């Protein structure tokens, strides 16, 4: 059985949750002036080209964030076609933040440390930020829906208790969909905190990766991988497989993976995640391919090299060109 544990910060959550109250939908991104195309019957079709916005984290070879880049330093490609960049901004933007805590029985010894890390993230919320809290065992339960009230979130953390099994992959899909559907802000983040003893999910890794792409989720992950204590080659292989899965989830979303050895490392990691979310560029462009045909558009962003060495850009792999959908 794979033994992993993870703190996943994702940018979205699932329709499978019981939501206490409906919320107003997020405001759409501005649209480019209407473009006229022809269909096979020579009838005009009116299409608004939506603005694509990418959240970027840029680091140097020492993994130190780089903050002084300008629009001309970036180049963006969509399906290998160079795009005209509309703007690049480094302004701090509000967050729709989700916190999902694994409260399975195997989390009992780490639960208090993880709750403390979650409290630290809540304290870092800015006035326009909003957050929700979920716990998951074999099922996913909404404890506190989106709110800007830090006290409500802090009080909700006090309701968590450990018991039962773990459905980690189910939780990632459900929470990502909820954040996407109910979050008011364009930039969305979800923190899933888990020791990751995955054995109860009904979905596989491929389905989770697909959901993250569709929901346009940014994932920050912290996994306690017990490979050092594995007693057999088979269990060590399972640990490596679990670590690879968590790294893939983070990388595909433009997020970041951490693998601490001790629970007391979590406050520093939580602080780093909060910093990463506050120190990102927003790159915007109108795609040259204006068709909303539901296909996945792969995006690649590169930045000019400096004398000190190559810079690395972390962002999501792309987006689905879905009709009438705001991408962020």
């Amino acid at each position: 059985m794979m033994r992993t544990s993870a703190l996943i910060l994702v940018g979205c959550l699932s329709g499978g949750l019981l939501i206490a109250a409906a919320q107003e939908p997020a405001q759409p991104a501005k649209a480019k002036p209407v473009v006229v195309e022809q269909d096979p019957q020579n009838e005009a079709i009116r299409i608004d080209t939506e603005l694509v916005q990418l959240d970027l984290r840029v680091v140097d070879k020492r993994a130190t964030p780089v903050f002084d880049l300008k629009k001309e330093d970036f180049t963006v490609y969509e399906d290998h076609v160079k795009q005209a960049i509309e703007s690049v901004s480094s302004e701090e933007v509000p967050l729709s933040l989700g916190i999902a805590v694994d409260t399975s029985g195997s989390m009992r010894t780490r639960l208090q440390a993880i709750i403390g890390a979650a409290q630290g993230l809540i304290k870092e919320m800015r006035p326009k930020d909003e957050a929700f809290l979920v716990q998951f065992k074999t099922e996913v339960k909404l404890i506190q829906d989106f709110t800007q009230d830090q006290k409500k979130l802090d009080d909700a953390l006090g309701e968590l208790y450990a018991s039962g099994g773990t459905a980690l992959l189910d939780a990632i899909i459900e929470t990502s969909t909820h954040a996407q559907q109910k979050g008011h802000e364009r930039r969305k983040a979800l923190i899933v905190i888990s020791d990751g003893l995955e054995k109860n999910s009904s979905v596989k890794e491929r389905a989770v990766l697909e959901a993250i792409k569709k929901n346009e989720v940014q994932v920050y992950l912290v996994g306690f991988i017990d490979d050092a204590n594995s007693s057999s080659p088979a269990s060590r292989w399972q640990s490596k497989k679990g670590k690879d899965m968590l790294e893939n989830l983070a990388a595909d979303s433009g997020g970041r993976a951490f693998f601490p050895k001790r629970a007391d490392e979590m406050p520093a990691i939580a602080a780093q995640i909060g910093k990463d979310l506050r120190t990102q560029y927003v790159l915007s462009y109108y795609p040259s391919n204006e068709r909303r045909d539901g296909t996945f558009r792969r995006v690649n962003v590169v930045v000019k090299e400096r004398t000190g060495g190559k810079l690395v850009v972390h962002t999501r792999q792309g987006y689905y060109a879905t009709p009438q959908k705001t991408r962020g």
Side-chain angles (χ1 to χ4, degrees):
M1 182 66 62
M2 176 178 69
R3 294 185 58 83
T4 63
S5 88
L7 161 66
I8 301 176
L9 184 88
V10 184
C12 306
L13 186 87
S14 155
L17 301 178
L18 298 177
I19 306 302
Q23 302 198 21
E24 293 296 325
Q27 293 299 313
K30 65 179 181 179
K32 194 176 181 179
V34 172
V35 177
V36 178
E37 295 188 350
Q38 289 299 123
D39 72 1
Q41 278 88 40
N42 294 321
E43 296 177 353
I45 303 173
R46 296 172 68 84
I47 299 176
D48 292 335
T49 302
E50 293 181 7
L51 186 72
V52 174
Q53 294 179 294
L54 302 173
D55 296 314
L56 313 175
R57 181 170 56 89
V58 183
V59 297
D60 62 19
K61 61 182 180 181
R62 294 180 296 275
T64 302
V66 178
F67 303 109
D68 59 347
L69 298 172
K70 303 182 184 304
K71 176 181 174 180
E72 53 267 25
D73 294 317
F74 293 91
T75 305
V76 60
Y77 299 90
E78 181 176 303
D79 290 338
H80 305 292
V81 178
K82 185 177 179 179
Q83 305 294 307
I85 296 175
E86 183 77 8
S87 64
V88 173
S89 170
S90 58
E91 295 178 4
E92 185 175 300
V93 298
L95 294 172
S96 289
L97 177 68
I99 302 173
V101 180
D102 176 358
T103 55
S104 61
S106 56
M107 280 289 293
R108 190 170 286 109
T109 60
R110 293 190 176 111
L111 188 56
Q112 288 306 310
I114 288 171
I115 287 174
Q119 289 173 330
L121 284 162
I122 290 170
K123 288 178 182 178
E124 292 298 317
M125 289 174 61
R126 304 297 195 266
K128 291 185 179 181
D129 291 348
E130 61 178 1
F132 67 86
L133 176 67
V134 159
Q135 72 170 358
F136 64 96
K137 308 175 192 290
T138 53
E139 296 181 348
V140 182
K141 181 180 180 181
L142 182 66
I143 305 298
Q144 172 63 56
D145 207 347
F146 273 115
T147 180
Q148 295 181 348
D149 190 329
Q150 294 184 25
K151 187 177 186 304
K152 285 184 178 180
L153 293 163
D154 196 60
D155 289 345
L157 285 169
E159 300 180 24
L160 305 182
Y161 65 94
S163 66
T166 305
L168 176 61
L169 298 181
D170 286 349
I172 295 171
I173 287 182
E174 292 191 26
T175 51
S176 69
T177 304
H178 181 70
Q180 178 61 33
Q181 292 179 348
K182 301 297 183 178
H184 291 78
E185 304 301 334
R186 184 195 63 79
R187 181 177 289 174
K188 298 174 176 67
L190 171 69
I191 307 167
V192 181
I193 307 172
S194 175
D195 74 346
L197 186 58
E198 171 57 60
K199 60 180 181 180
N200 299 112
S201 288
S202 60
V203 298
K204 302 298 182 183
E205 179 185 356
R206 182 183 297 274
V208 178
L209 290 169
E210 192 67 13
I212 289 173
K213 289 179 181 178
K214 288 182 177 179
N215 289 325
E216 299 180 354
V217 176
Q218 194 170 35
V219 178
Y220 283 78
L221 177 149
V222 180
F224 292 89
I225 306 300
D226 296 331
D227 50 354
N229 298 322
S230 298
S231 58
S232 69
S235 59
R236 286 194 294 271
W237 179 84
Q238 288 286 354
S239 294
K240 183 181 184 303
K241 183 179 178 182
K243 183 176 180 179
D244 290 345
M245 178 190 72
L246 298 178
E247 286 181 327
N248 289 339
L249 292 174
D252 281 8
S253 70
R256 191 174 177 186
F258 300 85
F259 297 98
K261 298 299 183 183
R262 303 184 312 276
D264 61 10
E265 296 176 53
M266 292 190 63
I269 290 172
Q272 183 62 59
I273 290 171
K275 181 179 179 181
D276 281 0
L277 286 170
R278 303 290 178 187
T279 56
Q280 296 188 11
Y281 295 92
V282 179
L283 185 153
S284 304
Y285 72 95
Y286 291 106
S288 57
N289 183 352
E290 297 168 340
R291 295 186 179 277
R292 296 178 182 173
D293 53 9
T295 59
F296 185 74
R297 308 286 173 75
R298 190 165 294 276
V299 173
N300 181 38
V301 180
V302 295
V303 65
K304 290 180 181 178
E305 290 191 19
R306 292 186 167 182
T307 55
K310 183 178 180 181
L311 301 181
V312 179
V313 179
H314 297 276
T315 189
R316 55 193 170 96
Q317 289 191 341
Y319 68 94
Y320 279 92
T322 306
Q324 304 301 325
K325 181 177 183 298
T326 300
R327 293 183 291 277

